[in-house]
Amino acid sequence: MTFKSGFVAILGRPNVGKSTFLNHVMGQKIAIMSDKAQTTRNKIMGIYTTDKEQIVFIDTPGIHKPKTALGDFMVESAYSTFVKWILFYSWCQLMSNVVRATT
């Protein structure tokens, strides 16, 4: 049996249901939900695991045009999550190719 794993960064505009989606996938409330925009201020991770797979979901603050220092922080947090996971994915692909080439 092959075990697979991966990461999913949940990105989007404020107040569109990113945290609601995460809670639904996880089957329990792990991210706060509110009608007020910008409730999520930091990255929140949820790990979905079955016998064959494991998926790490990352809920991020909404991407918007910041008007305050807090807004700047939240948008930077969302963008940095995206960039870090793109770099991580690229590194994994590179290492996978190196391993295949050497075996």
Side-chain angles (χ1 to χ4, degrees), residues 42-63:
N42 292 300
K43 294 173 278 205
I44 298 171
M45 290 189 189
I47 303 172
Y48 177 82
T49 305
T50 68
D51 292 338
K52 297 180 181 180
E53 63 202 7
Q54 186 174 64
I55 305 168
V56 178
F57 289 90
I58 304 147
D59 186 16
T60 62
I63 298 172

Side-chain angles (χ1 to χ4, degrees), residues 3-98:
F3 187 82
K4 297 194 177 208
S5 61
F7 294 88
V8 176
I10 306 168
L11 301 166
R13 307 246 336 134
N15 212 28
V16 294
K18 295 179 298 295
S19 297
T20 302
F21 172 75
L22 176 63
N23 290 340
H24 180 73
V25 169
M26 303 285 38
Q28 61 183 328
K29 186 175 179 180
I30 61 170
I32 191 169
M33 297 180 306
S34 171
D35 290 338
K36 184 177 179 180
Q38 298 304 322
T39 304
T40 303
R41 296 191 174 188
N42 292 300
K43 294 173 278 205
I44 298 171
M45 290 189 189
I47 303 172
Y48 177 82
T49 305
T50 68
D51 292 338
K52 297 180 181 180
E53 63 202 7
Q54 186 174 64
I55 305 168
V56 178
F57 289 90
I58 304 147
D59 186 16
T60 62
I63 298 172
H64 64 287
K65 292 182 182 178
K67 298 177 183 171
T68 65
L70 177 60
D72 284 334
F73 169 79
M74 292 190 300
V75 170
E76 178 61 32
S77 177
Y79 281 134
S80 71
T81 299
F82 178 69
V83 170
K84 285 176 187 174
W85 294 115
I86 291 293
L87 291 174
F88 178 74
Y89 176 78
S90 299
W91 180 81
C92 288
Q93 292 299 310
L94 176 67
M95 295 310 293
S96 175
N97 290 337
V98 168

